[in-house]
Amino acid sequence: MSSTPSYPRRVKLVEVGPRDGLQNEKQPVPAAVKVELVHRLQAAGLTEIEVTSFVSPKWVPQMADNAEVMAGIQRQPGVRYSVLTPNVQGYQAAALSQPDEIVVFGAASEAFSQKNINCSIEESIQRFRPVVQAAVAAGIAVRGAISCAVGCPYEGDIAPERVEMVARLMRGIGVQHVGVADTIGVGTPRKVQRALQAALTHYTLDQVSGHFHDTYGMALANTLASLELGIWNFDTSVAGLGGCPYAKGATGNVASEDVVYLLQGMGIETGIDLDALIDAGKFISDFLGRKPHSRAANALLTKRLG
Ligand code: HMG
Ligand code: MG
């Protein structure tokens, strides 16, 4: 007799469009547009928004307006605003903007660590240590991203043991939550489950999230496979924006609209208004001069035209 998997009743989405989404855009996006996007996302019911990153403007020029964007947001009670901080310099700059959460970002691949943050995995952990300490002392939550958790553009397949190792190192320095990231979207459900299970050896179900890029069209399948394990936190990006400038061939994150459509259809609670989310995606896509990279958004936008 086959058994039907049981899924979480509620899912929390971390909207990463303003950060992961826009960091990969070549054309400059004015701070006012980024702020408007955040406002629209919070109005749509997103309660966690990754706003920007405090990285080197030489490495990622699009995020150079980080402080201006953080200052421009009219914060809504109940919404948590997070930012990426690769080192103490980034943390100190970020702290002035009073984020609710910071994100240190490491990798399960040595080659990607070098390309993305210019140091080895071990060095990255040493860099993160004082950042995590300072954040925890200031009452700021700390998340860690584990990039290339299933595959790397430079090293190919990544073994779950690498994810286990990075999760252990992150746990060791006090990172409170980890995101298992399929940076280049090569993962398929079983591989993704193994990567998540590796992280779950050091973190609880409430402390692990999925972060899936959709390069090969597998991100929704990987989301469903994660739900089967009981994972209920996901990073998603409005209009399917996204990609890492240092991950060759990576395209956008799974679209928030598609994930919300999936979850609503399964009766899983998100607290998100899909129509308002679609409008937010349309707003930023219009600015960028293209259609949203979301099948559900485009289908529902067409339906609206009657
Ligand atoms: P580095 O060159 O080794 O840094 O870069 P450094 O400490 O030697 O400093 C060199 C220069 O950078 C100095 O300036 C510093 O002041 C400046 P100069 O004296 O030459 O004028 N600098 C900074 N400026 C602003 N903010 C800072 C900062 N740090 C140093 N925080 C560094 C190392 C980490 C800074 C660099 O490699 C970097 O900025 N990398 C970021 C790359 C990035 O943002 N990638 C995308 C985000 S990660 C991602 O998308 C993956 C994720 O979505 C999950 C997934 O999908 O996998 C999270
Ligand atoms: Mg990403």
Side-chain angles (χ1 to χ4, degrees), residues 105-114 116-117 119-122 124-125 128 145-153 155-167 169-170 179-183 195 198:
F105 48 105
S109 143
E110 280 295 350
F112 184 74
S113 183
Q114 290 290 350
N116 194 42
I117 49 174
C119 64
S120 69
I121 295 172
E122 182 53 41
S124 74
I125 296 296
F128 300 154
I146 306 177
S147 286
C148 297
V150 284
C152 167
E155 292 183 10
D157 278 355
I158 297 291
E161 289 73 22
R162 307 290 297 170
V163 179
E164 185 278 323
M165 178 196 77
V166 180
L169 294 172
M170 285 195 172
V180 172
D182 184 5
T183 313

Side-chain angles (χ1 to χ4, degrees), residues 19-20 23 54 56 58 87 89 116 118 147 183 211 213:
R19 193 282 303 171
D20 202 332
Q23 75 180 9
F54 287 80
S56 161
K58 287 187 191 141
N87 52 19
Q89 188 176 340
N116 194 42
N118 207 22
S147 286
T183 313
H211 176 112
H213 286 261

Side-chain angles (χ1 to χ4, degrees), residues 58-80:
K58 287 187 191 141
W59 285 62
V60 187
Q62 185 68 262
M63 297 286 112
D65 58 2
N66 40 35
E68 189 185 348
V69 174
M70 284 297 280
I73 296 168
Q74 284 183 359
R75 296 195 190 192
Q76 200 170 284
V79 178
R80 281 155 47 93

